[in-house]
Amino acid sequence: MFVPLAAAIPEYASHIALVGIGVVMLGNAVEVAWDNLTYAIPAGMTIMVMPFTFSIA
């Protein structure tokens, strides 16, 4: 039932949504205590590894 509706949406429309969600996710990176290595190392590693593994899990 939803396949024709999803097929009607152009492919480039999904890219805009992904960029928007990426900006929202990176907005939370401002709140990390980057001067405290206990928080900075795991947060930095997570931000760097996510694009290479294609997973947010």
Side-chain angles (χ1 to χ4, degrees):
M1 178 171 132
F2 295 108
V3 173
L5 180 62
I9 299 171
E11 186 178 336
Y12 61 85
S14 64
H15 300 298
I16 296 169
L18 290 174
V19 169
I21 291 183
V23 169
V24 170
M25 288 176 68
L26 278 176
N28 292 328
V30 175
E31 299 175 13
V32 175
W34 292 106
D35 55 343
N36 186 350
L37 291 179
T38 306
Y39 298 114
I41 292 173
M45 291 294 291
T46 302
I47 291 170
M48 288 188 301
V49 168
M50 256 191 245
F52 296 116
T53 61
F54 301 108
S55 173
I56 62 171

